[in-house]
């Protein structure tokens, strides 16, 4: 990867700290926003159907007035078998005789356009891109509009990089919408967390933004993508490498019930609501079948049932492992046949390039399967405008380098970090600190002065990057620093004596600890939930020596058991900042000094360290008390927690008032002629949701209103989380229903003392149903309770 670029500065004692830090940002923005683009032959983006090429301009596949389906049919019909096969891999070569340039399907944009894949290179007028917080922190804002705006910026900057000739493709393999099922998962940081509703909403918001759709959806109509988003990894993928078991060979045993209400809903939302143009099938097997060879998954569910119209790529080398590692296919040709007949279209790797022709010659694979895949692939390239002549003269042709790292984009990166950071503890209102330049500060810890750690993984060179230490020095003239650990977060060697000396000399101490990519990443899951090495020893010693209770800042993707700090009175405040991106250092400094009121909420459960006794390979979501299995995520976990899902404090306090114009009883007035009643032996007093009409579900929808009041002294942005839980009684078959389930969330900004109103529209079919053991969503008669904070509102469903 390209090395990090960041700006350091010295404090200016005579200036206001806040204004000074803002000025630093403006200087950086000015520097990065004044580049202009002069296209030369080497910097022009690759494209087909050059109007100046007489050999191709009259071909039907170049005629934009024709439907894309006809254009694709014409193009594919002109290809030889060898040319067809060459296009089935991520690095697709050119077809000179038809004027078709080479194309790279693999580019990355998890939390900003990145050079982590071969499709993007920052080697021209554009040297960097806006680096947003890692997804797990962005999710903590519970703000779908923010997620959408981030997607818009990423799509815009992706198009700018392409127009500038620094990208070989416009298909970006993000977002990662797998469920963060186990706290040890190294890639959990890439996801929106453990809840399928949050994850699905993130997918919809991000994908619509990246692809150029409106926030509500429906603007695109199938054509003219700004960029192409790809939801991954389909499906039930959440283990990388744990105790010798890796993702390439892992066979995830998943119940139909868990698939229906946990693993699949985010992908269904991504396809049905977001209209994603790409899906990636995962390495692992699910119940014995590799995802990329699962016809039921790719063709029946994704395409036929959910209406997917786009391309399906394998994860990299996921086809080869079916023969080489899993033993699922009996030959390389069989592996090729399996994936193409299942519905996969393009192979990240070279396996299809090497073995598809042999499969055809051996009569194992009809050419029609290759044609099917090519139709999906070229249709997406046409939707991106890459077969309409020079793309810089088309719909998105005016997007250039001045829209990369712009002032507004960098401001959004700061906003995302500010709104995601979670205040976990604030005893005696230790935070925020006063703005006085006369205070002295000690900043201690292995993550205090590490800009790279702020980025997480799958990042490119950021517009700027300022560590927390640098940002704090913009507020405080006297800020001493010591890393504490000699070997970064590993912290096998610690200089407690010197760290204690630094702490003793300051009015306030900020400890910055946690994890980095050496502890959690792709292909590396954690084995424990505690802070690495001697970090806890360092924290406790410094807290004991400090003049006042200390502030503890945690950088991590996954949860950490910090119970010792939670209950230590010498540790006054705890902030979790995930991996907060290019503006993360500044965001933390603004929160610590009260220029922003924190309002983030945890998107995952923080478990105690003993949770690691549960095998990571156990995919069950639901608890099994008889066997001692406690379940997973807030929806099913029955055990102690360090911090629960949705937890987060603020410098303000908020009160709620929950009401609904609907009476407590919801009469569905079902008739046997309009529904299919589930067999009494499986789900008594229940109906199958798929048998209810859309009109019926909409008619029975109702509104819930939540009044929110900011009772504090600071303006704050607050996320309202609406949960539903079942009331269990003798007449209700629990059937593994969630302990509670998030049914809606909304973010509201309130001034001190201000009151606002948030309205949720709930459908009994979507929000009050549950999965039965057969994987069917059913609506059961009985009582439920809607929850916001401590407020409750009962709802009784009567058939």
């Amino acid at each position: 990867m390209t090395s990090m670029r960041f700006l350091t500065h010295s404090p200016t004692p005579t200036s206001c700290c806040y204004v000074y830090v803002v000025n630093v940002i403006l200087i950086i923005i000015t520097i990065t926003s004044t580049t202009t683009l002069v296209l030369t032959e080497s910097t022009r983006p690759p494209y087909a159907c050059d109007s100046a090429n007489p050999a191709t301009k009259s071909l039907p596949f170049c005629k934009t007035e024709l439907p894309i389906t006809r254009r694709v049919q014409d193009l594919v019909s002109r290809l030889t078998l060898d040319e067809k096969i060459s296009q089935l891999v991520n690095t697709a070569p050119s077809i000179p005789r038809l004027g078709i340039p080479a194309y790279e399907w693999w580019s990355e944009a998890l939390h900003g356009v990145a050079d982590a894949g071969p499709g993007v290179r920052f080697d021209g007028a554009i040297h960097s891109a806006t680096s947003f917080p890692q997804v797990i922190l962005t999710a903590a804002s519970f703000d779908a509009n923010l997620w959408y705006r981030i997607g818009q910026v990423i799509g815009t900057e992706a198009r700018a990089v392409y127009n500038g000739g620094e990208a070989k493709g416009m298909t970006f393999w993000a977002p990662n919408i797998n469920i963060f099922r186990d706290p040890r998962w190294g890639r959990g940081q890439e996801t929106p967390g453990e809840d399928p509703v949050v994850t699905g909403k993130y997918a919809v918001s991000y994908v619509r933004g990246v692809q150029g759709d409106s926030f509500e959806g429906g603007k695109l109509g199938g054509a003219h993508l700004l960029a192409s988003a790809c939801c991954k990894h389909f499906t039930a993928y959440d283990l990388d490498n744990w105790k010798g078991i890796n993702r390439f060979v892992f066979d995830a045993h998943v119940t139909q019930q868990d698939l229906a209400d946990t693993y699949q809903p985010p992908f269904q939302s991504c396809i049905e609501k977001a209209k994603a143009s790409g899906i990636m099938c995962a390495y692992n097997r699910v119940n014995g079948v590799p995802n990329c060879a699962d016809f039921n998954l790719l063709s029946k569910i994704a395409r036929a049932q959910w209406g997917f119209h786009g391309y399906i790529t394998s994860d990299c080398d996921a086809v080869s492992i079916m023969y080489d590692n899993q033993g699922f296919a009996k030959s390389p040709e069989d592996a090729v046949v399996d994936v193409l007949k299942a519905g996969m279209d393009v192979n990240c790797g070279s396996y299809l390039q090497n073995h598809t022709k042999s499969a055809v010659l051996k009569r194992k694979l009809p050419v029609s399967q290759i044609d099917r895949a090519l139709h999906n692939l070229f249709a997406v390239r046409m939707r991106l405008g890459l077969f309409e002549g020079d793309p810089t003269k088309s719909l998105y042709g005016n997007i250039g380098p001045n829209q990369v790292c712009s002032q507004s984009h960098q401001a959004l990166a700061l906003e995302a970090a500010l709104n995601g950071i979670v205040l976990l503890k604030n005893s005696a209102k230790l935070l925020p600190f006063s703005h006085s330049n006369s205070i002295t500060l000690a900043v201690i810890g292995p993550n205090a002065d590490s800009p790279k750690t702020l980025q997480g993984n799958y990042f490119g060179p950021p517009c700027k990057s300022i560590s927390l230490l640098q940002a704090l020095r913009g507020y405080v003239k006297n800020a001493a620093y010591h890393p504490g650990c000699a070997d970064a977060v590993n912290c096998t060697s610690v200089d407690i004596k010197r760290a204690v000396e630094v702490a003793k000399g300051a009015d306030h101490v900020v400890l910055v600890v946690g994890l980095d990519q050496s502890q959690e990443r792709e292909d590396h899951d954690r084995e424990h939930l505690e802070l690495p090495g001697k970090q806890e020893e360092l924290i406790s010693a410094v807290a004991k020596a400090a003049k006042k209770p200390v502030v503890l800042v945690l950088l991590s993707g996954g949860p950490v058991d910090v119970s010792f700090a939670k209950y230590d009175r010498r540790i006054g405040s705890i902030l979790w900042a995930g991996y907060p991106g290019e503006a993360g250092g500044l965001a933390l400094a603004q929160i610590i000094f009260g220029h922003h009121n924190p309002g983030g909420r945890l998107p995952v459960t923080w478990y105690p360290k003993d949770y690691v006794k549960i095998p990571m390979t156990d995919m069950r979501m639901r608890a099994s008390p008889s066997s001692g299995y406690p379940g997973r995520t807030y929806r099913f976990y029955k055990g102690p927690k360090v911090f629960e899902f949705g937890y987060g404090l603020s410098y303000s306090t908020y009160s709620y008032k929950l009401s609904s114009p609907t009476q407590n009883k919801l009469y569905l007035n079902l008739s046997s002629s309009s529904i299919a009643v589930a067999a009494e032996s499986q789900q008594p007093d229940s109906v199958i949701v798929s048998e209810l009409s859309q009109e019926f579900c909409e008619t029975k929808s109702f509104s819930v209103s939540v009044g929110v009041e900011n009772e504090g002294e600071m303006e704050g942005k607050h996320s309202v989380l609406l949960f539903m839980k079942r009331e269990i009684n003798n007449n209700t078959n629990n059937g593994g229903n969630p302990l509670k389930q998030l049914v809606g969330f909304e973010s509201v900004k309130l001034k001190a003392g201000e009151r606002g109103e948030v309205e949720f529209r709930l459908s009994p079919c979507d929000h009050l149903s549950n999965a039965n053991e057969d994987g069917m969503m059913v609506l059961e008669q009985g009582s439920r309770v809607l929850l916001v904070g401590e407020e409750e509102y009962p709802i009784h469903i009567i058939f």
Side-chain angles (χ1 to χ4, degrees), residues 497-525:
K497 181 179 179 181
R498 180 56 186 150
V500 164
E501 289 175 358
V502 172
K504 285 181 176 179
D507 296 323
H508 293 287
V509 176
V510 177
L511 282 152
V512 193
V513 298
L515 311 178
D516 63 13
Q517 300 307 301
S518 70
Q519 304 295 315
E520 53 176 355
R521 63 181 184 277
E522 185 171 4
D523 199 37
H524 182 81
D525 301 320

Side-chain angles (χ1 to χ4, degrees), residues 150-423:
I150 289 172
Q152 282 185 306
V153 168
I154 291 173
T156 300
E157 295 196 350
R159 180 62 71 163
V161 171
Y162 188 84
N163 287 347
E166 297 180 43
K168 295 180 284 185
M170 281 293 294
T171 39
F172 291 83
W173 291 354
N176 181 341
I177 56 170
N178 295 116
I179 296 298
F180 198 167
R181 170 187 61 93
D182 190 288
R184 291 163 286 189
W185 187 29
R187 300 188 74 176
Q189 60 180 295
E190 302 174 24
T191 76
E194 69 182 34
D195 181 76
V197 171
V198 174
T199 303
K201 188 65 175 178
Y202 179 87
V204 171
S205 302
Y206 174 93
V207 170
R208 285 176 177 171
V210 167
Q211 296 192 161
D213 206 345
S214 62
F215 177 68
E216 297 80 11
K219 168 187 170 184
L220 285 176
H224 292 105
L225 298 169
L226 175 62
S228 170
C230 173
C231 288
K232 64 184 185 184
H233 312 78
F234 196 38
T235 188
Y237 165 69
D238 50 22
L239 178 149
D240 267 61
N241 195 335
W242 177 78
K243 293 189 174 181
I245 301 170
N246 65 51
R247 55 187 173 166
F248 307 123
V249 299
F250 179 51
D251 187 3
H253 295 282
V254 186
T255 68
Q256 293 303 308
Q257 191 174 31
D258 286 342
L259 277 170
D261 70 0
T262 299
Y263 297 106
Q264 295 287 65
F267 289 96
Q268 184 173 1
S269 294
C270 180
I271 293 170
E272 291 185 341
K273 297 178 181 178
K275 308 297 183 185
S277 50
I279 296 174
M280 177 185 287
C281 51
Y283 289 115
N284 59 291
R285 290 169 287 173
V286 174
N287 300 327
V289 182
N291 281 303
C292 293
D294 192 337
F295 178 81
N296 181 63
L297 182 70
L298 304 186
S299 293
K300 283 190 174 181
I301 294 176
R303 292 198 186 276
Q305 185 177 326
W306 296 343
F308 176 61
H309 296 288
Y311 76 98
I312 300 177
T313 180
S314 75
D315 207 336
C316 294
D317 295 320
V319 180
S320 66
I321 65 171
M322 290 168 47
Y323 172 68
D324 296 336
N325 301 83
Q326 296 173 352
F328 180 82
K330 298 189 183 304
S331 70
E333 291 83 3
D334 288 340
V336 170
V337 172
D338 287 342
V339 297
L340 286 175
K341 286 188 174 180
M344 196 196 82
D345 301 312
V346 63
N347 165 215
C348 180
S350 58
Y351 216 66
L352 263 64
Q353 198 169 47
N354 297 337
H355 301 291
T356 301
K357 190 169 186 178
S358 176
V360 172
L361 295 176
K362 291 179 179 180
R363 299 182 181 275
K364 291 186 173 186
L365 179 72
V367 177
S368 61
Q369 289 290 351
I370 300 174
D371 291 348
R372 176 204 57 75
L374 294 177
H375 276 252
N376 293 327
L377 295 172
F378 282 113
V380 169
R381 289 173 67 174
M382 288 182 182
R383 290 175 64 193
L384 285 164
L386 307 185
F387 280 74
E388 300 177 7
D390 188 350
T392 63
K393 299 177 181 178
S394 63
L395 177 64
Y396 301 115
N398 62 338
I399 299 176
N402 64 323
Q403 295 189 51
V404 180
C405 289
S406 66
Q407 180 175 350
S408 62
H409 292 184
Q410 292 190 56
L412 185 62
L414 175 60
E415 179 186 341
L418 286 169
N419 291 332
I421 292 169
V422 182
L423 180 63

Side-chain angles (χ1 to χ4, degrees), residues 430-431 433 509-511 549-553 571-575 592:
L430 174 63
L431 290 179
F433 290 159
V509 176
V510 177
L511 282 152
V550 302
V551 174
L552 181 65
V553 176
I571 299 173
S573 299
I574 304 175
L575 287 163
I592 288 170

